[in-house]
Amino acid sequence: MNSHFLLLMTKSYIPYFLNQPDFRIPQNITTDILKEKDALAFHLSLAEYQHTPLISLPALAKHLGIGKLFVKDESKRFGLNAFKGLGASFAVFQILQDKPDMKVFCTATDGNHGRAVAWAAQKFGKEAVVFVPSDTTSNRIQAIEKEGAKVIQLNKNYDDTCAYAEEMSIKNNWELVQDTAWEGYETIPALIMAGYLTQFKELETDLHPREFPEVDVVFLQVGVGSWAGAAAYYYLQRYSSKGPALISVEPEGSSGLLDSFRSSQRVVPNNPSYTIMAGLNCGIPSLSGWELLKNAISVSLNIPDIQVEEAIRCLYYPLEDDPRIISGESGAAGLAGLLAMMQDPVFQPVRQQLDIGPHSRILVFNTEGDTDKESFQKIIS
Ligand SMILES: Cc1ncc(COP(=O)(O)O)c(C=O)c1O
């Protein structure tokens, strides 16, 4: 039996935390970089650059009892089937401005970020070495190798793989391009986060939020929290406390952010267990992500794998005239959070607190397509 149901049966487990954000932007290296760097100008200069689509799903919105549902489809980003190329390309570009002779870029990854670093390194005529944890599937490893990287699988979890990549980078004089920050390693993760801001700037032209936000709630899936942290920065600097409510979504087997909210400090996930959401299967939240998310997130929740499988099928077998969207396990996690929120009675207090109903306009991100094709086929059949 799935641990979610076991915990629910004990009636003591609540899969969410209601936060009281203060909407303050912390002053640190990360927010200085996010303020200063214009990654959109860099991305516009790339031949592969294309604004990713914003798709409306009116039939699903009606079915769920909300007003509007938008999906920003990042599976269309740079031909990489995920959004991660935004961050890796900008970070590699910025590093090369200071260190043009750097030959090798290194990272630890559970899939998409490693593929993005390999792609970016190759783009600039450089090499990439990518370390992956023990549970990374062979399909994901092959996708990274296809971008020309050397991939080494370790018998370690995500956090230990990151530590090993750092050790090897220092030893071999490689540049570590890690998408999570810790004390003393904040600049490169901040450049990656600055790259992610392009997505949100694109939304300005799609949603036209001049005075007031055109969405009321945004669901953000979280691995280490760098991407959601960039989103938090975007909404804080643009709207302060007047922006949409931000909801973080994690796998129940890897909820470092939810556990951190409960502990009022950054912690490794309690009771980690296997999840099919590979991109979200991380350890302790990023230092820089946490600093932003704790001030911006209204609700932190987690979901079981079966919920994300349902979300993938919802997008693949659309209702009425809604368009089909191909989404992977981490890609559909934001929608899975919304499905759980609208369908599971345990979330009734959250719906009430955020006043979610037929008037609500909700935004989710499909952060990846079918990055593991075998697993995707199993889920949709
Ligand atoms: C598809 C996908 N979505 C979301 C995320 C979460 O990003 P972060 O680790 O910055 O929280 C990842 C991370 O790898 C990912 O691959």
Side-chain angles (χ1 to χ4, degrees), residues 181-186 266 287:
W182 53 85
E183 277 84 4
Y185 185 76
E186 285 142 277
R266 218 161 53 98
L287 172 64

Side-chain angles (χ1 to χ4, degrees), residues 223-262:
V224 293
S226 290
W227 175 67
Y233 172 80
Y234 173 80
Y235 286 109
L236 288 177
Q237 57 81 36
R238 193 169 170 90
Y239 304 109
S240 185
S241 62
K242 308 259 183 293
L246 304 184
I247 301 184
S248 63
V249 182
E250 291 173 288
E252 68 175 15
S254 177
S255 314
L257 184 64
L258 177 54
D259 294 335
S260 298
F261 273 120
R262 287 191 170 133

Side-chain angles (χ1 to χ4, degrees), residues 10-308:
T10 66
K11 291 200 187 318
S12 61
Y13 183 71
I14 308 282
Y16 62 83
F17 179 87
L18 287 174
N19 186 38
Q20 292 193 323
D22 62 12
F23 304 107
R24 204 178 43 80
I25 299 181
Q27 296 303 309
N28 54 36
I29 301 172
T30 305
T31 53
D32 286 349
I33 289 174
L34 291 173
K35 193 170 167 192
E36 185 196 316
K37 298 289 180 191
D38 182 4
L40 178 59
F42 162 72
H43 290 135
L44 284 169
S45 74
L46 298 176
E48 301 88 340
Y49 177 78
Q50 260 188 342
H51 194 141
T52 56
L54 184 71
I55 300 166
S56 180
L57 298 179
L60 183 56
K62 193 166 159 212
H63 175 76
L64 292 174
I66 57 171
K68 285 184 179 164
L69 174 59
F70 299 107
V71 182
K72 183 150 174 73
D73 188 3
E74 289 295 314
S75 70
K76 300 284 186 285
R77 186 69 71 183
F78 298 143
L80 292 173
N81 219 0
F83 75 99
K84 288 264 162 173
L86 286 172
S89 62
F90 186 60
V92 169
F93 166 73
Q94 285 287 317
I95 293 163
L96 288 171
Q97 301 301 299
D98 292 336
K99 302 180 184 173
D101 297 330
M102 179 53 63
K103 287 195 174 57
V104 181
F105 291 86
C106 175
T107 195
T109 181
D110 30 37
N112 293 321
H113 173 66
R115 184 175 178 194
V117 169
W119 172 77
Q122 198 172 48
K123 205 169 177 43
F124 290 101
K126 306 292 180 180
E127 290 167 36
V129 177
V130 177
F131 294 101
V132 297
S134 57
D135 53 4
T136 304
T137 62
S138 55
N139 293 325
R140 294 187 191 280
I141 292 176
Q142 280 162 21
I144 305 170
E145 284 171 340
K146 271 198 193 129
E147 304 296 336
K150 180 172 179 193
V151 184
I152 300 160
Q153 188 158 32
L154 304 175
N155 191 18
K156 294 181 188 296
N157 67 13
Y158 177 81
D159 279 350
D160 293 343
T161 305
C162 286
Y164 188 77
E166 184 190 19
E167 199 185 310
M168 286 299 110
S169 297
I170 293 167
K171 194 167 152 198
N172 295 300
N173 195 26
W174 299 335
E175 190 70 40
L176 181 69
V177 187
Q178 201 53 61
D179 56 346
T180 186
W182 53 85
E183 277 84 4
Y185 185 76
E186 285 142 277
T187 302
I188 290 173
L191 292 171
I192 293 171
M193 290 167 78
Y196 297 158
L197 287 181
T198 287
Q199 249 176 32
F200 301 93
K201 291 184 183 158
E202 288 174 359
L203 281 170
E204 291 175 9
T205 49
D206 288 329
L207 292 172
H208 305 294
R210 292 222 170 80
E211 297 297 327
F212 297 100
E214 295 265 331
V215 290
D216 308 296
V217 183
V218 182
F219 282 78
L220 300 163
Q221 48 271 59
V222 166
V224 293
S226 290
W227 175 67
Y233 172 80
Y234 173 80
Y235 286 109
L236 288 177
Q237 57 81 36
R238 193 169 170 90
Y239 304 109
S240 185
S241 62
K242 308 259 183 293
L246 304 184
I247 301 184
S248 63
V249 182
E250 291 173 288
E252 68 175 15
S254 177
S255 314
L257 184 64
L258 177 54
D259 294 335
S260 298
F261 273 120
R262 287 191 170 133
S263 313
S264 305
Q265 62 174 337
R266 218 161 53 98
V267 295
V268 292
N270 295 331
N271 310 317
S273 60
Y274 176 76
T275 168
I276 58 169
M277 293 171 250
L280 313 185
N281 187 9
C282 301
I284 191 164
S286 164
L287 172 64
S288 319
W290 168 244
E291 294 288 325
L292 282 154
L293 292 169
K294 69 182 164 61
N295 297 358
I297 290 289
S298 291
V299 183
S300 166
L301 59 87
N302 73 14
I303 47 161
D305 283 355
I306 47 161
Q307 189 76 71
V308 96

